Amino acid sequence: MTADPLAIARDLLRCPSVTPAEGGALVYLHDLLAKAGFTVHRMTFAEPGTASIENLYARIGTAQPNLVFAGHTDVVPPGEERAWRHPPFAGDIENGTLYGRGAVDMKGGIACFVAAALDHVAANNGMPKRGSISLLITGDEESVAVNGTIKLLHWAAERGEKFDHCLLGEPSNVATLGDTIKAGRRGSLNGVLVVTGKQGHVAYPDRADNPVRGLVKLIAAIQAPLDDGSAQFDPSNLEFTSIDIGNKTVNLIPGEARARFNIRFNDRHTQESLKRLIGQRAEAAAEGRVRFAIEWEPSNADVFITKPGPFTELASAAIAEVTGRKPKLSTTGGTSDARFVKNYCPVLEFGLVGQTMHAIDECVPVADLVALTAVYRRIIDKYFG
Ligand SMILES: [Zn+2]
């Protein structure tokens, strides 16, 4: 009997696991994997000021190579529930499509990998053909990502677990299953520009120093293009996301003005080089007349690229054989937990089609679940073949 990715996806969708709630999703996976012979660990990680989060690590086999699948069972909230045509945690199927929060991001992806792994193991007398298959599943990806994959990887390393290659099941495809593998991600850095002036009466501007004038000047200088892209990446981008003065009084010149910005950067920069560059731009625009400071938030989202090699070729070939499409290697989009995994082993992201992720009536065609399971199965078979 082959494992059914649709049944697994449906069971997972019925677990209301909005971050930080476990919602029954990890209990379910624990049970399913343990029955198939996996050794399963469940860890709760905590840190002051954040919600405690449950995580799971499961492995079958003790030898290397260890192929690890990484993913998350937590989901974003459904938003306006009445706007859903199918309740977000019901797992409804209509016209060959499965509906629910997490259908593509990424309970569907987990279901496909689990089904593929169970089938591979069942076809090889209850064990991987050689080496090990493991799953690293967190409940903390959609929120702050503090008590999830980053701690799970550290925990695994401490007990001597070694990972050779990682597949991360985020919805990597843009329009059709098989169109895109993510083989790297841009970095992300947040900052606040603070300009200090002198508060005063608007009718007597000579007695005050309006920080808004300086802020506008510095913003214009800072948001100039950062680069024109690199071999594997689009151009870096800086966006101001909020200008905060908070002044409710019409006849008052404020004493301080702030502007928040985010930078998505490619491999032509590091966090340090960007901080220097932005500082220099502001300095030049200030011409010694604008008093300013730039506050940088700590960031754990560095840019990375997974260099093409045998693992990428193996995955691309498996995808092409099942879907008939040659996937593009992409580095677009936001950050993901791959930024943590890349410190332990090469990581590729391949999952479902991302179109409905985080949307009302998130859904996945059943045919995509079947095809992704076949892709994962082929990757596993090739990897251990
Ligand atoms: Zn996700």
Side-chain angles (χ1 to χ4, degrees):
M1 204 189 88
T2 54
D4 179 6
L6 174 60
I8 301 171
R10 209 172 183 192
D11 288 342
L12 285 172
L13 288 183
R14 287 173 175 161
C15 302
S17 51
V18 175
T19 336
E22 183 272 331
L26 294 180
V27 175
Y28 172 81
L29 286 179
H30 185 157
D31 188 53
L32 189 64
L33 292 166
K35 274 191 191 128
F38 281 77
T39 305
V40 187
H41 304 268
R42 297 253 306 282
M43 288 77 57
T44 300
F45 297 128
E47 196 160 303
T50 61
S52 297
I53 303 276
E54 289 191 47
N55 296 272
L56 177 148
Y57 177 64
R59 177 171 180 165
I60 188 161
T62 50
Q64 303 298 126
N66 183 6
L67 175 65
V68 61
F69 175 86
H72 62 89
T73 50
D74 62 320
V75 294
V76 294
E80 186 54 66
E81 284 204 39
R82 279 171 308 180
W84 288 64
R85 277 197 313 118
H86 300 275
F89 301 107
D92 282 359
I93 299 168
E94 189 184 65
N95 295 329
T97 298
L98 172 66
Y99 290 84
R101 175 56 84 225
V104 291
D105 185 13
M106 56 166 279
K107 288 172 168 174
I110 292 175
C112 295
F113 187 83
V114 169
L118 296 189
D119 284 348
H120 173 86
V121 165
N124 290 281
N125 303 315
M127 284 294 279
K129 197 166 173 209
R130 63 187 184 94
S132 310
I133 300 173
S134 50
L135 291 98
L136 203 61
I137 309 290
T138 182
D140 191 16
E141 198 275 342
E142 296 289 8
S143 182
V144 289
V146 165
N147 294 314
T149 302
I150 191 166
K151 286 197 171 73
L152 199 51
L153 285 160
H154 186 75
W155 171 90
E158 295 247 291
R159 15 177 2 260
E161 297 288 330
K162 291 218 167 28
F163 303 121
D164 293 276
H165 293 93
C166 178
L167 265 182
L168 199 134
E170 288 287 354
S172 60
N173 296 287
V174 180
T176 320
L177 194 81
D179 65 21
T180 309
I181 293 178
K182 287 226 159 110
R185 292 273 188 165
R186 294 181 295 181
S188 174
L189 186 61
N190 287 303
V192 185
L193 169 66
V194 186
V195 175
T196 312
K198 185 166 169 251
Q199 188 181 310
H201 195 299
V202 275
Y204 302 92
D206 48 315
R207 296 180 196 165
D209 172 16
N210 193 344
V212 176
R213 291 176 184 276
L215 188 81
V216 169
K217 221 173 147 196
L218 267 56
I219 285 178
I222 288 172
Q223 69 185 3
L226 291 163
D227 57 62
D228 49 11
S230 70
Q232 275 120 343
F233 287 88
D234 288 339
S236 303
N237 185 51
L238 183 152
E239 286 298 325
F240 277 90
T241 54
S242 184
I243 292 179
D244 306 292
I245 298 168
N247 177 19
K248 303 258 190 294
T249 311
V250 293
N251 58 0
L252 181 106
I253 289 173
E256 186 186 271
R258 307 167 73 87
R260 303 176 59 86
F261 58 93
N262 174 269
I263 309 175
R264 296 299 164 117
F265 60 96
N266 61 31
D267 54 354
R268 289 176 65 173
H269 305 271
T270 63
Q271 293 192 30
E272 288 320 307
S273 73
L274 275 172
K275 288 176 187 174
R276 261 198 316 277
L277 175 65
I278 301 303
Q280 284 160 0
R281 285 182 174 184
E283 201 75 60
E287 294 177 302
R289 292 198 292 273
V290 181
R291 275 184 297 154
F292 75 94
I294 299 172
E295 297 168 358
W296 297 100
E297 284 174 22
S299 165
N300 56 15
D302 272 317
V303 57
F304 78 94
I305 182 91
T306 300
K307 298 229 157 54
F311 184 56
T312 308
E313 281 159 26
L314 182 156
S316 296
I319 293 162
E321 284 159 25
V322 173
T323 67
R325 284 175 203 97
K326 192 172 165 17
K328 175 176 172 238
L329 297 179
S330 158
T331 56
T332 58
T335 65
S336 77
D337 277 357
R339 72 191 139 148
F340 305 128
V341 179
K342 68 106 167 49
N343 296 326
Y344 294 82
C345 69
V347 52
L348 293 178
E349 298 179 62
F350 187 76
L352 291 162
V353 179
Q355 256 159 18
T356 62
M357 63 196 222
H358 296 207
I360 302 278
D361 284 315
E362 183 175 344
C363 61
V364 59
V366 175
D368 278 8
L369 292 175
V370 173
L372 181 60
T373 304
V375 168
Y376 284 153
R377 175 71 198 274
R378 199 162 279 234
I379 290 175
I380 294 170
D381 287 352
K382 280 177 181 286
Y383 192 80
F384 296 112

